[in-house]
Amino acid sequence: CLCPVVGLSTLCLLLLVTCAALSVLCKYKLLKLKVQISQSKLLETKCYYFSSRMLSWSSSRAWCRTQGGDLLIINSEQEQNFIFDTSRALEQSITRLWIGMTDAEEEDDWRWVDGSKVNSDVYWLSRPGMATEPDDWKLDDPLGEDCGHVDTSENALKSWMDGSCKKPYRWICEKNI
């Protein structure tokens, strides 16, 4: 771990050991620990994988499923903050990450990958003087924007956006353990 604050070395050592244990527990492919931080993290009974590569939404989902998980379903503010902060800490230059929501079946009927309805409108991006997400913008893709992602350059609690499912972004998988 990179611990610039004196007195956090024990915490960093604990994080490193936890990350190493998670890499075995989650069986997710990890980046080499160049900065001694793992791509796999644990929150409650879920294990998360934060990609460094970029794929389309469907390819991202397929990758997660081959690893025994699926794209992320966000169930709480705690989980939203956790994935946002972790994503930002792991990679700051590429800020958009696919999560497991789509309205591809029916426009404006947002569903998680498990089929449940996306009930929270709280986390959608809203900027003064601009359209509120989801906006189904068709300028880049005439089919519109039917897949959900978070953007870590925004505020943690206002970071959901819809995007063209064809665009390559990083992604977040989750797996129950």
Side-chain angles (χ1 to χ4, degrees):
C1 281
L2 300 174
C3 289
V5 179
V6 177
L8 291 181
S9 59
T10 303
L11 179 61
C12 284
L13 181 58
L14 179 60
L15 177 61
L16 181 59
V17 170
T18 302
C19 290
L22 287 175
S23 68
V24 173
L25 183 62
C26 295
K27 297 180 184 171
Y28 277 5
K29 184 179 177 183
L30 304 177
L31 282 180
K32 292 181 181 174
L33 299 176
K34 290 180 184 174
V35 292
Q36 297 184 3
I37 188 166
S38 171
Q39 282 183 287
S40 288
K41 300 284 182 181
L42 182 67
L43 176 68
E44 297 173 8
T45 60
K46 292 183 184 177
C47 185
Y48 300 84
Y49 174 86
F50 298 83
S51 75
S52 59
R53 297 182 305 137
M54 294 174 43
L55 294 172
S56 68
W57 188 89
S58 59
S59 294
S60 298
R61 184 172 189 208
W63 189 94
C64 292
R65 294 175 72 137
T66 65
Q67 304 302 307
D70 210 333
L71 283 173
L72 171 69
I73 297 172
I74 298 171
N75 295 303
S76 68
E77 184 174 321
Q78 178 189 16
E79 188 173 29
Q80 172 70 21
N81 283 319
F82 173 79
I83 63 97
F84 186 91
D85 293 342
T86 304
S87 299
R88 186 179 265 178
L90 289 171
E91 173 66 58
Q92 295 179 356
S93 64
I94 303 169
T95 62
R96 294 183 176 188
L97 297 97
W98 290 124
I99 57 175
M101 65 178 171
T102 181
D103 73 343
E105 294 293 317
E106 183 180 335
E107 190 60 36
D108 291 325
D109 182 23
W110 285 91
R111 300 281 173 167
W112 293 111
V113 289
D114 68 358
S116 64
K117 188 163 183 59
V118 175
N119 289 320
S120 179
D121 290 335
V122 173
Y123 307 121
W124 289 105
L125 178 64
S126 176
R127 295 184 193 120
M130 297 180 73
T132 300
E133 297 285 339
D135 59 4
D136 199 35
W137 196 48
K138 292 183 169 61
L139 193 58
D140 287 340
D141 183 348
L143 297 176
E145 299 178 319
D146 293 326
C147 293
H149 64 275
V150 296
D151 187 336
T152 60
S153 69
E154 301 294 342
N155 177 295
L157 299 179
K158 293 288 183 186
S159 61
W160 290 3
M161 300 174 75
D162 59 342
S164 167
C165 301
K166 300 174 192 174
K167 285 194 118 147
Y169 293 143
R170 293 171 47 224
W171 68 91
I172 306 170
C173 304
E174 72 178 352
K175 180 178 181 179
N176 290 321
I177 52 170

